[in-house]
Amino acid sequence: MDPNTVKSTLSNLAFGNVMAAAARDYQKELLSQDKAQASSSINQEVDLDELMDDPELEKLHADRIAALKKEAEKREALVKQRHGEYREITEGDFLGEVTSSEKVICQFYHQEFYRCKIMDKHLKSLAPRHLDAKFIKLDAENAPFFVAKLGVKTLPCVILFRKGIAVDRLVGFQDLGGKDDFTTKALEVLLIKKGIISEKKEVADDEDDKYDENRYRTVRSSSIPDSDSE
């Protein structure tokens, strides 16, 4: 046999052996990684189980559920007092409305005044977003006694009440730049600064609250026996 042919054959056999060895090593490495991942997954499951049995975590969860329950009950009470809507009242209803809620926002308006309609639009938008305050309006022409008593001279006039006491007011648009094109957000920020409504939380916090509240409702409904079982 030609010496060069023998040399080429031996070289190819040696290369084949090296590739076979490399392939075996690669398979071993893959098996090792799979085992490591399986071990990590088992350890993670154990850690999660330990967390589920953590008494401190259970207490935090119970406290959160209790806080949500209290908040839901407060919200229900406010809705019963017709918080969350912007509505018109009469002079005869006025005292009862402003004294029955801790915080009340009342616009004295005139049906023919364009700026009163602008304020209407913004207050109507804010009412469902701020249950902590009651939003109402009163036709100034039909409420002469309270117009005089409260010294309302310019319309629109938005008076802010705390526990039945007038604590502040917005006269016309002078606190809103004096122009008709102010935004609902601008009015909202102004009312927050005056302390009559609370600042809304970030969207992420709202989503967390919705998730926790849904869990509370699930727990609550599961604890109420079916009427058929009684």
Side-chain angles (χ1 to χ4, degrees), residues 19 31 54 58 86 102-103 111 129 145 149 159 186:
M19 292 301 296
L31 288 173
D54 188 336
E58 286 292 326
Y86 178 55
E102 182 178 351
K103 295 187 289 186
Q111 291 183 355
R129 298 168 54 189
F145 177 80
K149 194 73 174 175
I159 301 183

Side-chain angles (χ1 to χ4, degrees), residues 83-102:
H83 286 230
E85 56 183 293
Y86 178 55
R87 56 194 172 83
E88 183 162 5
I89 63 168
T90 65
E91 187 174 50
D93 298 329
F94 180 76
L95 280 178
E97 292 287 355
V98 299
T99 56
S100 62
S101 295
E102 182 178 351

Side-chain angles (χ1 to χ4, degrees), residues 43-180:
N43 291 335
Q44 191 174 27
E45 290 178 1
V46 171
D47 292 340
L48 289 174
D49 289 339
E50 290 176 356
L51 283 174
M52 291 298 289
D53 295 333
D54 188 336
E56 291 187 6
L57 190 63
E58 286 292 326
K59 184 179 183 303
L60 286 174
H61 179 66
D63 291 344
R64 180 65 171 162
I65 294 298
L68 285 169
K69 179 181 178 181
K70 185 176 180 180
E71 182 65 26
E73 290 172 349
K74 179 182 177 181
R75 190 174 302 174
E76 289 175 5
L78 290 174
V79 170
K80 286 181 180 179
Q81 294 177 338
R82 301 192 69 178
H83 286 230
E85 56 183 293
Y86 178 55
R87 56 194 172 83
E88 183 162 5
I89 63 168
T90 65
E91 187 174 50
D93 298 329
F94 180 76
L95 280 178
E97 292 287 355
V98 299
T99 56
S100 62
S101 295
E102 182 178 351
K103 295 187 289 186
V104 179
I105 298 170
C106 179
Q107 179 194 187
F108 283 80
Y109 80 102
H110 191 287
Q111 291 183 355
E112 303 300 324
F113 288 6
Y114 177 67
R115 283 196 162 187
C116 292
K117 294 177 182 179
I118 293 175
M119 185 61 75
D120 260 349
K121 178 187 71 173
H122 294 302
L123 292 176
K124 185 177 182 180
S125 176
L126 289 175
R129 298 168 54 189
H130 293 279
L131 287 178
D132 50 330
K134 179 188 288 182
F135 288 72
I136 54 178
K137 64 179 181 177
L138 181 60
D139 188 336
E141 272 196 323
N142 297 325
F145 177 80
F146 289 110
V147 165
K149 194 73 174 175
L150 294 168
V152 176
K153 297 178 181 179
T154 302
L155 300 177
C157 181
V158 179
I159 301 183
L160 314 179
F161 294 88
R162 275 186 173 274
K163 298 181 179 179
I165 300 173
V167 294
D168 208 341
R169 66 181 62 195
L170 309 182
V171 179
F173 294 170
Q174 63 185 25
D175 292 327
L176 294 159
K179 297 181 179 181
D180 296 351

